[in-house]
């Protein structure tokens, strides 16, 4: 079914107070992400990608416009409601893993469920399931300092997923990984998307990472510049992405 999991309408973001040095980071952006889609956000540095992600992820608030997630308008929510909403409906994967060093990998992955007060039996079965999906069952009793970068990132992905969020949001999720670990992370995200139907929105600079997406939105100077969809192979899509990026480079003001 074509249900939008994210709906962004006429979103504007202005940083700074009136009269001071204002920065118009988003100038009226509209798009939807359907349930089960894997969407990439690309564009030159400073064009508003992280701003967009933050306004969708409830970490910051759009100045104007509407952001709906799973049918709820988050721009109307109060701070307390927002943090509940965030912990229940969203999963995050950042570049720097954000794993807590004093907790085991198991405890890190369990965190979103522990915070919701889930029963330990439920936590155990969910953690084991996502760990198996991501190929990290063997390292659950280890601590972050004892595992590789790729294993850390897959642990972070497991934590993003363990509470069945409506969507997983990533800002450069492969940014800190070498190419081998980046590939295994991207393969893991792809299989989560294709086999479990998990919706994913990922900001990335990297055309290779982006080639794993089904659709890519290009942002330029706070506006939607172009949208492309993978209708062929990943290799062909990769070349299409490079073409748009080259285009964006030449159109840069
Ligand atoms: N907290 C802030 N206060 C003021 N201006 C900001 C703030 N965050 C971002 N900006 C400005 O908003 C614009 C968009 O920034 P944003 O971080 O969204 O870009 P980006 O596309 O994620 O860039 P990059 O690819 O380098 O991560 C930039 O001009 C930036 O300087
Ligand atoms: Mg950014």
């Amino acid at each position: 079914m074509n249900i939008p999991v994210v709906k962004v309408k006429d979103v504007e973001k202005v940083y700074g107070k009136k009269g001071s040095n204002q920065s118009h980071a988003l100038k009226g952006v509209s798009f939807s992400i359907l349930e089960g889609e894997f969407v990439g956000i690309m564009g030159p540095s400073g064009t508003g990608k992280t701003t967009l992600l933050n306004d969708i992820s409830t970490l910051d608030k759009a100045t104007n416009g509407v952001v709906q997630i799973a049918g709820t308008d988050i721009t109307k929510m109060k701070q307390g409601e927002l943090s509940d909403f965030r912990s229940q409906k969203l999963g995050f994967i950042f570049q720097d893993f954000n794993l807590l060093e004093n907790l085991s990998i198991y405890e890190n992955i369990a965190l979103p469920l522990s915070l919701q007060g889930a029963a330990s039996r439920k936590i155990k079965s969910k953690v084991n399931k996502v760990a198996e999906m991501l190929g990290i069952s063997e390292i659950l009793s280890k601590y972050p300092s004892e595992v590789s970068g790729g294993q850390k990132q897959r642990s972070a992905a497991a934590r993003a997923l363990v509470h069945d969020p409506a969507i997983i949001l990533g800002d450069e999720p492969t940014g800190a990984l070498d190419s081998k670990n980046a590939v295994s992370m991207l393969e893991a995200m792809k299989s989560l998307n294709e086999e479990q139907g998990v919706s994913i929105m990922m900001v990335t600079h990297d055309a290779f990472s982006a080639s794993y997406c089904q659709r890519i939105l290009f942002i330029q100077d706070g506006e939607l510049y172009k949208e492309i969809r993978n209708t062929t192979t990943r290799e062909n899509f990769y070349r299409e992405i490079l073409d748009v990026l080259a285009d964006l480079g030449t159109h840069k003001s």
Side-chain angles (χ1 to χ4, degrees):
M1 261 196 299
N2 289 353
I3 309 167
V5 60
V6 172
K7 194 169 173 188
V8 170
K9 194 155 182 334
D10 304 325
V11 163
E12 291 182 51
K13 177 69 181 182
V14 182
Y15 289 109
K17 294 231 154 49
K18 255 198 184 127
S20 65
N21 258 348
Q22 285 191 325
S23 163
H24 209 154
L26 295 174
K27 300 172 183 167
V29 175
S30 302
F31 64 89
S32 293
I33 296 177
L34 302 181
E35 221 175 272
E37 268 198 303
F38 186 175
V39 173
I41 308 285
M42 297 193 87
S45 183
T47 46
K49 302 181 297 296
T50 297
T51 301
L52 181 64
L53 194 81
N54 288 346
D55 288 356
I56 291 174
S57 67
T58 76
L59 296 176
D60 200 356
K61 201 167 189 159
T63 313
N64 290 303
V66 175
V67 179
Q68 278 181 7
I69 296 174
T72 306
D73 182 356
I74 60 162
T75 54
K76 302 234 160 45
M77 283 182 148
K78 299 209 168 53
Q79 210 51 49
E81 291 176 297
L82 275 177
S83 71
D84 284 348
F85 184 85
R86 181 160 60 229
S87 62
Q88 283 165 21
K89 300 280 184 187
L90 303 178
F92 293 94
I93 312 177
F94 293 111
Q95 175 168 351
D96 52 2
F97 317 131
N98 278 309
L99 294 174
L100 302 175
E101 294 293 332
N102 297 327
L103 300 183
S104 68
I105 297 292
Y106 179 94
E107 290 165 329
N108 266 288
I109 298 172
L111 207 57
L113 289 173
S114 317
L115 292 174
Q116 285 176 23
S120 60
R121 217 166 39 148
K122 180 185 170 190
I123 294 180
K124 194 168 170 198
S125 88
K126 286 294 294 181
V127 172
N128 286 332
K129 190 169 158 233
V130 289
E132 196 174 319
M133 256 156 52
L134 289 159
I136 48 171
S137 302
E138 310 305 314
I139 59 159
L140 289 177
S141 60
K142 295 196 171 180
Y143 284 80
S145 61
E146 301 169 326
V147 306
S148 75
Q151 288 171 330
K152 273 189 210 159
Q153 193 58 310
R154 273 176 284 148
S155 304
R159 185 186 52 188
L161 196 74
V162 75
H163 57 303
D164 295 320
I167 188 164
I168 291 188
L169 302 166
D171 200 351
E172 303 284 355
T174 56
L177 300 177
D178 60 35
S179 60
K180 183 166 158 273
N181 277 316
V183 167
S184 81
M185 180 67 194
L186 290 162
E187 291 290 346
M189 288 170 79
K190 184 167 136 79
S191 80
L192 289 175
N193 172 254
E194 287 176 358
E195 284 153 38
Q196 316 289 322
V198 179
S199 312
I200 305 174
M201 172 176 148
M202 159 174 94
V203 170
T204 180
H205 277 104
D206 175 39
F208 177 76
S209 298
S211 71
Y212 279 79
C213 298
Q214 294 158 354
R215 185 158 67 100
I216 299 175
L217 307 173
F218 293 86
I219 312 273
Q220 161 93 313
D221 292 336
E223 290 175 300
L224 211 56
Y225 169 79
K226 191 173 191 152
E227 169 179 339
I228 60 172
R229 184 182 293 276
N230 186 356
T231 54
T232 85
T233 61
R234 193 162 58 67
E235 287 72 21
N236 288 339
F237 194 45
Y238 172 68
R239 277 183 221 111
E240 282 177 47
I241 296 166
L242 290 180
D243 285 345
V244 179
L245 290 177
D247 242 25
L248 262 173
T250 38
H251 284 102
K252 230 168 148 179
S253 45

